[in-house]
Amino acid sequence: MSQRSAPLTGIRVLDLTRVLAGPWCTQNLADLGAEVTKIERPGAGDDTREWGPPYLKDEHGNNTTEAAYYLSANRNKLSVALDIATPRGAELVRELAAQSDVLVENFKVGGLRKYGLDYDSLSKINPRLIYCSITGFGQTGPYASRPGYDFMIQGMGGLMSITGERDDLPGGGPQKAGVAVADLMTGMYSTVGILAALHERARSGLGQHLDMALLDCQVAMMANQNLNFMTSGNAPRRAGNAHQNLVPYQVFAARDGHLIVAVGNDSQFRNYCRVIGLPELSADPRYATNPQRVQNRDTLVPLLAERMATGERDHWLAELEAANVPAGPINTLDQVYQDPHVLARNMRLELPHPTAGKVPIAASPLKFSGSPVQYRHAPPLLGQHTRQVLQERLGLSDADIQALAQGG
């Protein structure tokens, strides 16, 4: 069967990012078919190349120089080692930007201006350029000059105020999420913004500057919790594994482990009560509807918890699934990648790697029927494509490239 090209085939992206938010965005674009050229510092590269252990192992079980952290966010990219702090290095990046559709950077506010790589400078030589800046606090405002890191943004943006066990229970207190969600969500919002800007450029013919801030994205992603506060005037607090707006929607302890029960409506609650042998609770006026259950959770949840503790986890899961009550286990990552559904969805893949033989990757969740995500190559070695890009894109000769290397 004929296969259409990937959605962003023909789009060139210049990637001046490192760590996670920016690379996550540009990896999305690369997965969608864009040609992403990652500019890295010679001799060092993206900071996350050294954020280990663990490191990728070669065929003999020895560590390579590629940290797992770096590998998670840089597949399908070309790596070019250029020192933008040198006049010639900055000039070459400007030449690449003149040929690019998108540039993504996460330098501090104003940090690229001295190299002539800021939006105002580059838009003069390429008015069609979509230039995405990712910073902790954005290009404006009193915090604009501050560095911003995911952990502190989770705190400043309110996420840690609602994450973790209740303050009045053992283990209560602020808790960050298990992955860098502010970085990841900023990368996702930036991806959306770039795609929208590309669509708008098809009408106007012009690029524009996207000002993406971790704090903005963290605040926005508070979703229903934002409106819980705005409509009530009361700031939501930590609720452990419970839900602020739904009951029961939490973790329960079974006799041999834990499971999640996620009741989303009154019909599901009636089925749930029937399965656990407490049908009378769904008829009790204190618990018959979700608003009543939320108001009376302190009396309802102990009754449910007591009953759940009498059965085995897998028994409850099977019975609840048969009754169409949403429920699931709490898997460790090794269990995730043994799950038959995860396997059927092809969420773990391997790509050829120049030093390790192959590298495992977590697949993109984007599933297209006609123009699927492409896995063209593994996260690149530092400078792996320098010669290729400089020759093919900018027409430099072997002698030119040798002179660049000698000049640092």
Side-chain angles (χ1 to χ4, degrees):
M1 295 177 63
S2 63
Q3 182 173 295
R4 283 137 57 184
S5 299
L8 295 185
T9 298
I11 296 296
R12 283 180 170 173
V13 177
L14 195 57
D15 182 359
L16 273 65
T17 71
R18 62 273 191 210
V19 187
L20 188 54
W24 198 253
C25 167
T26 52
Q27 180 171 263
N28 281 332
L29 300 175
D31 285 349
L32 293 171
E35 178 187 293
V36 176
T37 302
K38 183 179 179 73
I39 305 298
E40 301 191 71
R41 293 173 296 164
D46 191 311
D47 297 347
T48 61
R49 288 182 179 273
E50 296 185 351
W51 283 17
Y55 290 88
L56 179 66
K57 295 186 182 299
D58 64 20
E59 294 169 311
H60 304 290
N62 300 314
N63 285 341
T64 68
T65 59
E66 310 301 305
Y69 199 119
Y70 163 79
L71 297 172
S72 72
N74 288 286
R75 65 172 172 260
N76 283 335
K77 302 178 186 179
L78 309 176
S79 173
V80 172
L82 283 176
D83 185 357
I84 67 170
T86 65
R88 182 57 174 150
E91 180 183 4
L92 290 170
V93 175
R94 283 194 295 273
E95 292 179 20
L96 289 171
Q99 302 176 4
S100 297
D101 298 285
V102 178
L103 185 150
V104 188
E105 59 91 10
N106 63 349
F107 284 73
K108 66 180 182 181
V109 173
L112 290 175
R113 188 172 299 118
K114 59 186 174 183
Y115 308 121
L117 297 174
D118 57 305
Y119 174 68
D120 288 341
S121 299
L122 294 181
S123 64
K124 290 182 174 65
I125 63 175
N126 183 1
R128 291 175 55 82
L129 182 66
I130 294 161
Y131 188 110
C132 178
S133 296
I134 299 175
T135 58
F137 299 98
Q139 303 293 304
T140 61
Y143 302 159
S145 62
R146 294 185 186 179
Y149 294 91
D150 177 274
F151 192 178
M152 56 186 285
I153 297 297
Q154 287 191 38
M156 295 181 70
L159 182 62
M160 290 176 63
S161 75
I162 60 166
T163 303
E165 189 52 88
R166 282 171 29 184
D167 290 345
D168 59 337
L169 295 177
Q175 184 66 55
K176 71 178 181 69
V179 293
V181 291
D183 275 340
L184 296 172
M185 185 60 75
T186 302
M188 297 304 294
Y189 270 121
S190 297
T191 303
V192 172
I194 289 167
L195 296 178
L198 284 169
H199 184 71
E200 191 279 336
R201 192 183 70 175
R203 297 195 305 266
S204 68
L206 297 173
Q208 56 186 301
H209 188 194
L210 304 183
D211 174 8
M212 303 301 301
L214 268 68
L215 184 59
D216 292 351
C217 294
Q218 177 62 84
V219 171
M221 66 168 279
M222 295 295 283
N224 60 300
Q225 298 287 24
N226 280 327
L227 270 294
N228 285 346
F229 163 66
M230 292 179 184
T231 57
S232 71
N234 298 317
R237 302 297 181 187
R238 282 177 285 277
N241 287 316
H243 195 288
Q244 304 281 2
N245 305 109
L246 294 170
V247 175
Y249 199 100
Q250 62 186 82
V251 171
F252 285 107
R255 195 160 58 209
D256 60 344
H258 292 81
L259 70 154
I260 296 167
V261 176
V263 169
N265 58 52
D266 297 336
S267 175
Q268 291 174 356
F269 182 64
R270 289 191 293 271
N271 290 339
Y272 170 61
C273 291
R274 176 177 52 79
V275 166
I276 66 172
L278 296 174
E280 67 276 9
L281 292 180
S282 62
D284 190 316
R286 295 174 297 170
Y287 313 132
T289 67
N290 183 69
Q292 292 164 330
R293 293 193 294 275
V294 171
Q295 292 175 12
N296 295 293
R297 73 168 75 219
D298 290 342
T299 57
L300 173 60
V301 170
L303 299 174
L304 302 177
E306 181 180 9
R307 181 55 61 92
M308 296 295 290
T310 66
E312 295 183 353
R313 188 196 73 159
D314 289 348
H315 165 77
W316 288 134
L317 289 173
E319 292 293 313
L320 291 170
E321 180 179 359
N324 293 316
V325 177
I330 300 172
N331 289 332
T332 55
L333 277 175
D334 58 322
Q335 294 169 326
V336 169
Y337 284 104
Q338 294 168 7
D339 186 287
H341 191 82
V342 174
L343 294 173
R345 298 287 289 175
N346 298 314
M347 286 306 297
R348 175 172 176 151
L349 303 174
E350 290 183 338
L351 295 174
H353 190 272
T355 60
K358 59 184 178 180
V359 59
I361 62 166
S364 170
L366 298 170
K367 304 283 197 290
F368 290 78
S369 66
S371 54
V373 166
Q374 298 179 348
Y375 301 96
R376 300 185 298 283
H377 46 79
L381 302 176
L382 175 59
Q384 180 178 341
H385 305 96
T386 302
R387 182 175 297 274
Q388 171 189 335
V389 170
L390 294 182
Q391 288 181 333
E392 295 179 1
R393 294 271 301 273
L394 301 184
L396 272 65
S397 66
D398 287 338
D400 294 331
I401 295 172
Q402 182 63 29
L404 290 175
Q406 292 174 347

